[in-house]
Amino acid sequence: MTALLSTFFRSKHRNVQPNLAGNLIRFSALVQSRKKAYFVLFLGGSSPAGSQVSVIVQVPAQLVWHRTLCPGRDYVLTELRVSKLPGHRYRVWMTSPSSQLLPLKPECVRELEIELAGAPLEANPQSLPWPSCPQDKKGPSPDCLVRDSILLSYTGMVTDTLNQPAGLYELDRKLELCLAYQQFHGLRRVVRPGVRLELQDVHLLQSVGGGTRRPILAPCLRGAVLLRGFSHQVPETQSSHQVSQGSLYEQLVWEHQLGLPVYLWATKALKDLACKLCPHVLRYHQFLKYSSPGDPGLGLQILAPILEVLIPPGCPGRNTHGEILEEPHHCPLQKYTQLQTPCFFPTLAVLKEEAKRRAWASFDPKTLLPLPEASHLPSWQLNQRLAWSWQCLLPSAFHPAPVLLGVLVPSSRKGCLQLRDQSGSLSCLLLAQPLQPITDPRLIGCLVRAERFQLVIERNVRSNFPSWKELSTTDFIQKKQARVYVQLLLADALILSVPRPVLQSATSSIPPRTEPSPPEGPHVEQSRLFLLSHKEALMKRNFSVPPSASSEVPQPTLSFHILGSWLGGTQRKEGTGWGPPEPKEDENSDQKVLLLFLGSSVRWFEFLHPGHVYRLVASGPPTLMLFKEGGSSCMSQRPLELAGCESCLTVQDEWTVELASSQDIPEVLGICPTLPESSLTDLLSGNFADSLVSFSAEIVSHLWMKPGTSGAVKRCVKLTVALETADYKFPPHLDVYIEDPHLPPPLGLLPGARVYFHQLEKRVSRSHNVYCCFRSSTCVQVLHFPPDTTVSAPLPHIYLAELLQGDKAPFRATASCHVVSVFSLHLLWVCAHCTSICPQGRCPRQSPTCPAQTSVSQASIRLLVEDGTAEAVVTCRNHQVAAVLGLCPSEWTSLLEFVRGPGKVALQFTGPGTQLESSAEVDEPLTLFLWTLCTSFSVLRPMVFSFELERKPSKIIPLEAPRLQQFQCGESPFLTRVNPKIRLSCLSIQEPEHPSALGALVSSC
């Protein structure tokens, strides 16, 4: 049976205002558009298979019907009219201002058919093709296939409020309810735990992903949410920020057109972000406010880069009329794709703890020290190699990938920059871009968001492993600690400004203290420009204080100095700019000044760099002496005279530093500041006219040294760096030592990093090698972070004659050579603790002098090799000796066991015979075996050696000159110049791929 039409009223004209009677099948949600509010109800006959007639109710006085309608009952709508919807091919029924909603009395109506021009009103017209959203087609994997939701009705009780502003609730403790795709302003005040709801035409979505595990019920505009039972709980009072949050979440659905999986992830991300930043770092209304074109909300700015990827441009807007009226049904909830969680926003404390957990979980001494090498190391060297290690975690190492987020603040206690949220802080090392440090202090207090960064964990371990055999026993680790920080480029980050008043407590790195009462009179802002020429190290220094200042013993204070020149006189604030500078006393003099930063003022350390112009700003009474006297008594006059400074000025805690603009000093800022560097000739020479050197280098290795090991007098860090120079094809290496009070070393001194060292002290060791040390004048600037993926470049393959080029020769290389003879062979067992010779594997100094009970084997062999261009003496050690002798691991182990008895076997090959040295009687078969082996073709064969020069590039003794040597050929003597033999240390040995071809090459040379 179709819907019933009755004609109670007929006009005298052609227009007809019919009445419509029928059974209420369903009704849609109440829709609030920009122009008007409306809802749609559907009437039909008693037969479920019959057609339906839709009626739009949009008269404001009739919207109250939405609360009184009950599906399944019969109603009569009077005085309806017909209208055509814009953008649709058919016409629909609409109520008029005089329409009424009455209960149906069947005896008062009669069925009629009305023919109207256009599409039939009762028919379900063929709907236009529904445009697909690009997010429905994202991802090729089976988990990303487009799925269809199920349309059903459900009745249940609200058991929990998951996120009220986002419209997320829990039903019957097993389902989640999302009301965001309806405009549920009225329901927000009613729905709470205990409320019983009937959901009609609601979508069921399962396995939506994005961190949601339970099935989701979500009604679209076509469905209805009916209240079937009230709650006994008292409704919560809504605050103003909750209302603003509601508009924010509506913006995600209605303006950004988020599908349900993405919307659920976005609501969870916003909730996590609010927990990170609100209320102490930010206020809720600032973070979760509605975004307008001229005033974007902070929350959406953080999510925008991810939403742009998840929802590409071209996703159509919601067609509210079509969503309610069209058949087949189309809405944003009909089709969905399972979302793989794109990222998450961990708190800094969680990220820091996870980094530590991963770093210590991956800490394996056997991995850091592979067995072939570790089995020959004594105890002190073993523990020294384990004292420092590092690990770099990229976002791709996590699943899902973390997004770094925090407010940038300086730490006056540590002297470094930190990212901070409500959970804590995380130290960070920032570069504006490679080779460019950060110089603008306005970054302080900004919100930094980064998806690309390096999470660095430096591990420090104090251990006492007796030998390599105990490396798997963790009881020998006495203490371990980790330093965690992040490295990132501002070019890869999103910098968001945050209102300053809110950050007053969040960025404060020192406890509040009582300030002296300001002097009477007006206060003005005054400033002065200065050009920074030199910055000294940030370290603890002793400062003399007046005897009456405090009764406590003064302690070393974290501080640093900078040397600069005043540019112009003092300027006063005038409106939003600075007035003209006051005239200087002597226009022609270069007014140098030494600025002292200590206490809270060390927060400017990371922003001050030589070659840049800054503005020192202070607030106080208008006086011209503010930046002139200020603290000349903080340092004696003699150091000031040596530095060429007129005065020493102590920067007060409340003063600020700004980067000067180009409008202030265009002639100075137009010059790009360059980093001064010492020439390589002066650096690697014995000339000490200027013992302070500066250079750029790439860090090759980082080693912690304890007192008494490798000649170290006190605890220090040894950096081996490769100098960067255009004159040398192969950069020479140099050692840099960092001692107290510069420990722990600055952030970022990692292998692979490019660093600029300014004013290191050059020294010469007893072995005539140049090395450098940190001093109070030293300043370090990281120019480039280590690469994300470390790919070791192969060593250059050379001829031995290329090593005779002096300074132009590579320090490390590979060469294909033929072993001519063996000079010496040493096999011995030494004490793992004191390195004494151990006959029978026992230390002769054992107890109480030496507590160790473990011995390790050591071996060395010296070879004469040539490749047809030159000769060289190569020294191979430990496991490399087995490769030279051509012994398999079992044969090498058996040989060492034979040597354990005497403790030492030393063979010197001088001509055709051998001279035997030993710590005890050696069996003749062992000596004969070693002599036979070293003179056989098993050893005298072609090999590929990877080596480094025994003579370091930093050695200042000149190379030995070629000498005249006489050779006898028959009865004729020959006199020729012979180069000194090249001395090499073997790094690794490989067998040649084509030994016959190598032999032919060598013989032909």
Side-chain angles (χ1 to χ4, degrees):
M1 177 180 177
T2 59
L4 302 179
L5 299 177
S6 58
T7 54
F8 287 138
F9 302 98
R10 288 181 180 271
S11 66
K12 297 180 182 179
H13 306 283
R14 296 178 58 185
N15 295 332
V16 179
Q17 288 186 311
N19 301 334
L20 184 63
N23 184 262
L24 181 63
I25 305 299
R26 58 185 176 86
F27 57 94
S28 72
L30 188 62
V31 181
Q32 181 72 40
S33 65
R34 295 181 180 179
K35 297 181 179 180
K36 59 186 68 176
Y38 66 93
F39 71 93
V40 181
L41 56 86
F42 297 85
L43 297 179
S46 58
S47 173
S51 61
Q52 301 177 4
V53 175
S54 55
V55 181
I56 297 180
V57 181
Q58 61 182 8
V59 179
Q62 299 169 358
L63 296 180
V64 71
W65 295 353
H66 192 271
R67 300 184 182 182
T68 60
L69 292 175
C70 183
R73 295 188 179 181
D74 297 332
Y75 295 96
V76 176
L77 291 172
T78 65
E79 301 186 40
L80 301 180
R81 60 187 178 90
V82 177
S83 178
K84 189 177 186 300
L85 294 178
H88 292 267
R89 298 185 297 109
Y90 55 93
R91 296 176 295 168
V92 295
W93 296 104
M94 288 186 178
T95 59
S96 62
S98 59
S99 297
Q100 295 183 9
L101 177 67
L102 303 173
L104 174 62
K105 297 180 180 180
E107 63 276 7
C108 299
V109 298
R110 58 193 176 98
E111 186 175 338
L112 296 176
E113 294 291 341
I114 300 180
E115 295 184 0
L116 297 172
L121 296 177
E122 294 84 357
N124 294 324
Q126 182 70 28
S127 61
L128 297 176
W130 186 264
S132 60
C133 183
Q135 58 180 318
D136 294 338
K137 300 179 180 179
K138 186 176 180 64
S141 62
D143 293 337
C144 296
L145 296 178
V146 177
R147 305 181 180 185
D148 292 323
S149 62
I150 302 174
L151 204 60
L152 51 79
S153 297
Y154 183 85
T155 302
M157 179 181 294
V158 177
T159 52
D160 192 13
T161 301
L162 303 179
N163 190 337
Q164 186 186 34
L168 299 178
Y169 303 89
E170 182 189 64
L171 285 179
D172 298 331
R173 303 202 177 278
K174 58 183 179 180
L175 299 172
E176 291 188 19
L177 173 64
C178 177
L179 299 177
Y181 290 82
Q182 288 190 351
Q183 296 167 334
F184 62 106
H185 302 93
L187 286 175
R188 188 183 290 122
R189 298 191 299 267
V190 179
V191 178
R192 56 183 178 272
V195 168
R196 191 166 185 83
L197 299 177
E198 180 182 349
L199 309 174
Q200 293 189 343
D201 289 340
V202 64
H203 292 268
L204 172 65
L205 296 86
Q206 305 182 67
S207 302
V208 296
T212 303
R213 300 181 180 275
R214 293 184 293 188
I216 308 292
L217 291 176
C220 62
L221 296 179
R222 175 174 176 167
V225 181
L226 307 178
L227 186 64
R228 296 306 186 198
F230 292 98
S231 172
H232 297 287
Q233 295 187 10
V234 178
E236 297 181 359
T237 303
Q238 288 190 338
S239 58
S240 59
H241 77 267
Q242 287 180 313
V243 177
S244 64
Q245 289 181 54
S247 60
L248 168 69
Y249 291 113
E250 287 183 6
Q251 187 177 16
L252 291 175
V253 173
W254 294 90
E255 294 185 17
H256 294 271
Q257 305 296 326
L258 297 190
L260 183 61
V262 180
Y263 175 76
L264 294 176
W265 172 83
T267 56
K268 184 178 183 302
L270 287 173
K271 187 175 181 180
D272 294 341
L273 290 172
C275 294
K276 277 174 59 71
L277 303 175
C278 304
H280 301 298
V281 179
L282 294 173
R283 297 292 182 257
Y284 284 102
H285 69 276
Q286 294 172 328
F287 178 69
L288 295 170
K289 71 174 183 179
Y290 187 87
S291 294
S292 57
D295 187 19
L298 198 58
L300 283 185
Q301 289 186 70
I302 296 174
L303 293 183
I306 304 172
L307 296 180
E308 290 175 359
V309 176
L310 296 177
I311 307 179
C315 194
R318 294 181 69 177
N319 184 349
T320 56
H321 290 101
E323 188 172 321
I324 299 173
L325 298 173
E326 286 188 347
E327 291 294 343
H329 175 59
H330 290 288
C331 74
L333 300 174
Q334 186 181 14
K335 294 183 179 294
Y336 66 98
T337 303
Q338 185 178 17
L339 177 68
Q340 299 294 330
T341 304
C343 63
F344 74 112
F345 298 87
T347 62
L348 296 178
V350 169
L351 187 63
K352 189 174 182 179
E353 290 303 318
E354 177 64 15
K356 289 183 179 180
R357 187 194 67 80
R358 293 195 178 203
W360 292 120
S362 62
F363 178 75
D364 185 7
K366 291 185 177 180
T367 303
L368 296 175
L369 296 175
L371 262 187
E373 180 183 4
S375 59
H376 303 283
L377 296 178
S379 177
W380 67 267
Q381 197 171 3
L382 196 72
N383 292 299
Q384 179 179 274
R385 298 276 291 273
L386 296 174
W388 184 89
S389 60
W390 72 293
Q391 185 178 14
C392 179
L393 296 177
L394 301 177
S396 58
F398 299 83
H399 183 74
V403 176
L404 187 67
L405 186 70
V407 177
L408 185 65
V409 296
S411 172
S412 300
R413 185 173 60 89
K414 295 184 178 181
C416 64
L417 293 177
Q418 293 180 335
L419 293 177
R420 188 169 298 176
D421 63 10
Q422 293 205 138
S423 67
S425 59
L426 181 62
S427 300
C428 62
L429 182 61
L430 302 181
L431 290 179
Q433 56 186 4
L435 308 181
Q436 181 179 340
I438 56 172
T439 56
D440 195 347
R442 290 180 299 178
L443 291 171
I444 295 178
C446 290
L447 194 64
V448 178
R449 178 198 182 278
E451 297 184 30
R452 294 183 57 187
F453 58 91
Q454 293 179 342
L455 186 59
V456 178
I457 309 98
E458 295 186 24
R459 297 175 294 213
N460 290 93
V461 175
R462 187 173 65 189
S463 60
N464 59 348
F465 288 101
S467 68
W468 63 275
K469 297 179 181 179
E470 292 80 16
L471 287 179
S472 58
T473 306
T474 58
D475 296 339
F476 293 100
I477 298 179
Q478 299 172 326
K479 182 181 179 181
K480 59 182 183 180
Q481 58 184 10
R483 182 167 69 163
V484 183
Y485 57 94
V486 293
Q487 299 182 148
L488 62 101
L489 300 175
L490 291 184
D492 296 333
L494 178 64
I495 309 300
L496 302 173
S497 59
V498 177
R500 297 291 175 178
V502 179
L503 290 165
Q504 188 65 31
S505 61
T507 60
S508 178
S509 56
I510 57 172
R513 60 182 181 180
T514 305
E515 299 288 347
S517 57
E520 296 182 359
H523 276 58
V524 296
E525 259 191 296
Q526 301 179 83
S527 69
R528 196 170 185 183
L529 296 172
F530 66 92
L531 173 63
L532 197 155
S533 57
H534 172 66
K535 180 175 70 169
E536 294 198 351
L538 179 65
M539 56 182 289
K540 289 188 176 181
R541 293 178 171 87
N542 293 319
F543 291 98
S544 59
V545 295
S548 59
S550 174
S551 60
E552 299 180 359
V553 178
Q555 298 293 330
T557 305
L558 190 66
S559 63
F560 70 96
H561 303 158
I562 65 170
L563 181 64
S565 301
W566 293 121
L567 301 179
T570 303
Q571 297 174 273
R572 296 183 181 180
K573 194 76 171 181
E574 294 181 358
T576 58
W578 296 99
E582 299 288 342
K584 297 190 296 184
E585 297 177 356
D586 188 358
E587 295 291 341
N588 298 322
S589 65
D590 185 12
Q591 300 183 8
K592 291 187 177 181
V593 63
L594 188 68
L595 298 180
L596 172 61
F597 294 78
L598 71 160
S600 177
S601 62
V602 300
R603 65 186 183 273
W604 309 110
F605 179 79
E606 292 291 341
F607 299 96
L608 299 175
H609 298 281
H612 294 273
V613 179
Y614 298 90
R615 182 183 296 275
L616 190 62
V617 182
S619 178
T623 172
L624 297 179
M625 305 300 294
L626 182 61
F627 298 116
K628 292 184 178 180
E629 302 296 337
S632 58
S633 62
C634 67
M635 186 175 290
S636 61
Q637 193 65 25
R638 179 58 180 164
L640 294 179
E641 293 176 357
L642 294 176
C645 301
E646 295 184 357
S647 63
C648 170
L649 181 64
T650 302
V651 178
Q652 303 300 316
D653 293 347
E654 63 273 11
W655 292 3
T656 59
V657 177
E658 300 176 358
L659 183 66
S661 61
S662 57
Q663 291 80 7
D664 296 331
I665 36 159
E667 67 280 0
V668 178
L669 291 184
I671 303 175
C672 180
T674 58
L675 300 176
E677 295 192 6
S678 306
S679 66
L680 198 60
T681 304
D682 295 338
L683 184 60
L684 300 180
S685 68
N687 182 15
F688 283 87
D690 186 4
S691 62
L692 297 180
V693 295
S694 303
F695 54 85
S696 299
E698 179 181 337
I699 297 179
V700 178
S701 65
H702 182 131
L703 181 67
W704 277 76
M705 303 177 66
K706 299 180 180 179
T709 60
S710 297
V713 179
K714 52 185 177 180
R715 186 172 65 112
C716 66
V717 171
K718 175 185 175 183
L719 301 177
T720 301
V721 300
L723 301 176
E724 295 185 354
T725 174
D727 299 333
Y728 289 76
K729 181 179 180 182
F730 305 103
H733 289 193
L734 187 69
D735 292 335
V736 178
Y737 291 88
I738 308 175
E739 301 175 347
D740 283 328
H742 301 280
L743 295 179
L747 303 180
L749 300 186
L750 305 171
R754 183 181 172 190
V755 182
Y756 172 70
F757 298 94
H758 185 57
Q759 290 200 357
L760 290 171
E761 182 181 5
K762 184 177 74 171
R763 293 183 178 181
V764 177
S765 66
R766 288 175 292 182
S767 57
H768 306 285
N769 288 314
V770 175
Y771 67 97
C772 295
C773 291
F774 269 49
R775 284 295 170 259
S776 60
S777 61
T778 302
C779 184
V780 177
Q781 178 181 329
V782 177
L783 302 177
H784 207 295
F785 300 138
D788 293 342
T789 56
T790 56
V791 180
S792 57
L795 296 177
H797 197 93
I798 65 169
Y799 290 107
L800 294 179
E802 298 180 43
L803 298 176
L804 300 174
Q805 299 176 1
D807 296 337
K808 303 295 183 179
F811 179 62
R812 292 182 177 180
T814 300
S816 300
C817 306
H818 189 279
V819 179
V820 177
S821 63
V822 178
F823 281 157
S824 65
L825 173 65
H826 292 265
L827 303 174
L828 60 158
W829 286 84
V830 298
C831 175
H833 180 73
C834 64
T835 66
S836 300
I837 301 297
C838 296
Q840 303 299 327
R842 291 189 297 270
C843 179
R845 302 171 57 190
Q846 189 174 6
S847 182
T849 307
C850 180
Q853 300 179 358
T854 307
S855 59
V856 294
S857 62
Q858 293 184 349
S860 66
I861 189 171
R862 295 175 67 239
L863 308 171
L864 176 63
V865 301
E866 58 91 17
D867 66 347
T869 64
E871 291 182 340
V873 178
V874 181
T875 302
C876 304
R877 292 180 175 83
N878 299 327
H879 62 283
Q880 300 167 358
V881 177
V884 171
L885 298 179
L887 301 178
C888 66
S890 60
E891 293 172 340
W892 174 246
T893 303
S894 300
L895 176 61
L896 293 178
E897 288 301 321
F898 278 110
V899 181
R900 184 189 291 271
K904 177 181 179 182
V905 174
L907 279 74
Q908 300 291 336
F909 293 82
T910 55
T914 63
Q915 179 181 355
L916 180 63
E917 294 182 4
S918 166
S919 59
E921 293 294 333
V922 179
D923 295 336
E924 188 65 24
L926 178 59
T927 306
L928 181 60
F929 169 74
L930 292 176
W931 181 86
T932 304
L933 182 62
C934 292
T935 56
S936 67
F937 290 106
S938 298
V939 175
L940 309 180
R941 68 187 193 276
M943 298 183 193
V944 179
F945 291 93
S946 297
F947 56 83
E948 67 180 11
L949 296 173
E950 283 191 0
R951 175 191 174 93
K952 293 185 177 180
S954 57
K955 205 175 191 68
I956 60 175
I957 296 181
L959 292 172
E960 184 181 351
R963 66 182 186 278
L964 290 174
Q965 186 173 350
Q966 182 175 344
F967 294 91
Q968 192 75 22
C969 182
E971 296 181 356
S972 303
F974 291 91
L975 191 64
T976 183
R977 292 185 181 273
V978 179
N979 289 314
K981 290 185 176 62
I982 307 167
R983 299 186 179 275
L984 308 175
S985 294
C986 181
L987 300 176
S988 64
I989 300 174
Q990 294 180 350
E991 297 296 332
E993 296 182 1
H994 305 288
S996 59
L998 179 62
L1001 172 64
V1002 173
S1003 61
S1004 64
C1005 296

